[in-house]
Amino acid sequence: GQQVQQSPASLVLQEGENAELQCNFSSTATRLQWFYQHPGGRLVSLFYNPSGTKHTGRLTSTTVTNERRSSLHISSSQTTDSGTYFCAIDRYVGDNSKLIWGLGTSLVVNP
Amino acid sequence: DTTVKQNPRYKLARVGKPVNLICSQTMNHDTMYWYQKKPNQAPKLLLFYYDKILNREADTFEKFQSSRPNNSFCSLYIGSAGLEYSAMYLCASSRGLGDAEQFFGPGTRLTVL
């Protein structure tokens, strides 16, 4: 089954509304990253957040490692927040480590 | 400077022809990755270099090659492009493995006709 599950799959907001994106993962993670993909395709790292809460601007990420979940909160959404948000966890495969990705949450913020 | 650069940004290729994509970073990162991203799908790891050691994913082993002539540069090579290779190709780098944040480039959008 999917090792990283994101919800909701898609979300439509009116500008100014808040959003809460969820990420649940099935195995212990040593690393968790939230990414934002621009509509044009560029992927940007938002948070590298193994545990706890981090803030940047209108974004807040909270990860509870022992409960295997993380959330991304967007406050006062803007149209420029539209895009896809990915959660990814680190997993060791043998001696190597790789990111396991969720399928993303597609966010549309309407003016 | 946390920039990862990719060239070209857009690439048009013919079926059966080779494709070479370039990535560079100046952060002295040990690891460089190549991902394939198709619409409505999560990025798919193709391969990565940890220092000079190339690791290729089992299901894409024969489809992609890569070289890393020095710490800053990494290429992705497709010997014979097929229609299914049309995608965004994302390069990323990180300091080490395992617990290091990955930084992504802007991507190269490859269209195979």
Side-chain angles (χ1 to χ4, degrees), chain A residues 1-5 26:
Chain A
Q2 186 72 19
Q3 297 184 48
V4 180
Q5 294 181 327
S26 59

Side-chain angles (χ1 to χ4, degrees), chain B residues 7-21 78 80-83 85-89 107-113:
Chain B
N7 287 297
R9 295 292 309 277
Y10 300 91
K11 175 72 178 176
L12 193 62
R14 296 292 181 185
V15 171
K17 297 297 184 183
V19 175
N20 197 46
L21 309 179
I78 301 168
S80 177
L83 295 175
Y85 287 84
S86 292
M88 175 75 83
Y89 288 86
T108 295
R109 187 172 296 282
L110 173 66
T111 303
V112 182
L113 300 174

Side-chain angles (χ1 to χ4, degrees), chain B residues 11-12 40 47 67 90 105:
Chain B
K11 175 72 178 176
L12 193 62
N40 302 315
L47 52 88
S67 66
L90 298 166

